[in-house]
Amino acid sequence: MMSFTSSTRSVPTTSAVPRHVAIIMDGNGRWANNRSLPRFAGHHRGVETVRATVKMCLECGIEYLTLFAFSSENWRRPQEEVKLLMQLFLRALKHEVKKLDRNGVCLRVVGDLSRFEPELQALIRASEQRTVHNSRLVLTIAANYGGRWDILQAVRRMLNSNPEKSDGWDESDLAPHLAMSYAPEPDLFIRTGGEQRISNFLLWQLAYSELYFTEVLWPEFDALAFEAALASYRQRERRFGRTSEQLSAGSLPAVSLTDTRIDA
């Protein structure tokens, strides 16, 4: 398994183009309400925005795109809306995977999938298998995902695999068991729809991500809106605990920091 730099243990390599973009796609329902349409119409339109965003990432050279499609808390929504969302997810997988594969996109789905219907679980596995060898872009869909769930399941998996770790473990022991251990930490986090919170999304992985919030609703998040997010990212000073003076002096040492060890 490929390993990636932890932003709390050493200084990651950065560039003007984010390697990994993570997005909370918020505002579908409000977009529909503004047009006197049922909420589901907004979710349907949001799938088109997903398609366009994947295309933009391919054009920009972004290597990883992670989309928060359904949180572990979204089960609290009206039952009919949840049912329609599951149907939309199923239909989108059936219609989009062939195109993703043709364009060199590797599809991954992370979250507690056990709550989904068997047909959806089987389609997820088949879609991942079909695209597993693609490397142009890794598209991750977070479904029935929560950041706290991720950390807890990682601890359980680590201790099941290495019972001796119950006497003491550190970040490097836990990281391989996180749901997105196959990807670098997000460089840029985007949330559409005007809300300014991360809503239990990638709690571990967003430690040093640049956060960008926009009033633009997800169905309207077009190329101009995406470029505005990228422009904001290019203006950020990514210090990773260092000072501005160190950056100005060109002091960019890949200093390895001491891990915080969790002892029993």
Side-chain angles (χ1 to χ4, degrees):
M1 178 183 294
M2 186 179 297
S3 60
F4 296 99
T5 300
S6 164
S7 59
T8 56
R9 300 182 66 211
S10 59
V11 177
T13 300
T14 62
S15 66
V17 176
R19 187 179 187 189
H20 184 177
V21 175
I23 305 177
I24 291 183
M25 306 175 291
D26 199 8
N28 290 332
R30 278 171 286 161
W31 180 89
N33 290 337
N34 291 343
R35 289 159 178 78
S36 300
L37 297 170
R39 286 177 58 85
F40 185 69
H43 295 304
H44 190 273
R45 177 62 178 266
V47 172
E48 297 179 19
T49 306
V50 170
R51 190 182 300 119
T53 303
V54 169
K55 183 175 183 291
M56 289 185 288
C57 287
L58 289 169
E59 293 171 347
C60 292
I62 292 167
E63 299 176 48
Y64 296 84
L65 172 64
T66 300
L67 303 175
F68 204 8
F70 191 84
S71 77
S72 50
E73 291 75 48
N74 283 153
W75 295 105
R76 302 168 182 169
R77 292 190 175 191
Q79 185 176 358
E80 183 62 24
E81 181 174 351
V82 171
K83 180 181 178 181
L84 290 172
L85 283 171
M86 293 301 107
Q87 293 174 352
L88 181 61
F89 190 16
L90 188 67
R91 188 160 61 247
L93 283 173
K94 289 179 177 178
H95 289 96
E96 299 297 328
V97 170
K98 183 177 180 179
K99 185 182 298 183
L100 293 174
D101 189 30
R102 187 168 64 245
N103 285 282
V105 178
C106 174
L107 177 67
R108 303 288 295 263
V109 181
V110 298
D112 181 5
L113 306 186
S114 64
R115 193 166 177 180
F116 294 151
E117 293 294 328
E119 181 185 7
L120 181 53
Q121 293 185 46
L123 186 56
I124 288 171
R125 289 192 294 268
S127 300
E128 290 181 323
Q129 185 59 38
R130 175 170 181 166
T131 63
V132 68
H133 299 296
N134 295 333
S135 58
R136 190 177 173 198
L137 172 69
V138 177
L139 170 62
T140 299
I141 304 298
N144 196 23
Y145 174 90
R148 292 182 178 180
W149 165 86
D150 192 5
I151 294 170
L152 289 172
Q153 68 84 29
V155 171
R156 285 194 295 268
R157 290 175 58 191
M158 177 190 67
L159 295 179
N160 286 338
S161 300
N162 305 280
E164 72 280 2
K165 296 296 182 183
S166 61
D167 292 330
W169 48 276
D170 59 31
E171 179 181 330
S172 62
D173 297 315
L174 183 67
H177 299 283
L178 292 164
M180 291 192 63
S181 60
Y182 57 85
E185 297 173 10
D187 299 292
L188 174 62
F189 163 87
I190 300 171
R191 180 169 186 153
T192 62
E195 304 292 353
Q196 299 188 19
R197 54 178 176 267
I198 59 175
S199 297
N200 198 21
F201 182 44
L202 300 178
L203 296 182
W204 180 283
Q205 296 86 347
L206 291 176
Y208 270 98
S209 301
E210 299 299 324
L211 308 184
Y212 178 83
F213 301 99
T214 175
E215 297 288 334
V216 176
L217 303 176
W218 177 247
E220 298 173 334
F221 190 75
D222 57 11
L224 288 176
F226 193 40
E227 174 52 36
L230 296 179
S232 175
Y233 173 80
R234 289 193 293 270
Q235 296 171 3
R236 307 291 179 92
E237 184 179 71
R238 306 199 70 195
R239 297 194 297 270
F240 299 102
R242 300 163 297 171
T243 66
S244 296
E245 289 74 17
Q246 285 177 292
L247 295 181
S248 299
S251 176
L252 302 174
V255 178
S256 181
L257 304 179
T258 304
D259 246 329
T260 301
R261 190 171 183 83
I262 308 300
D263 295 311

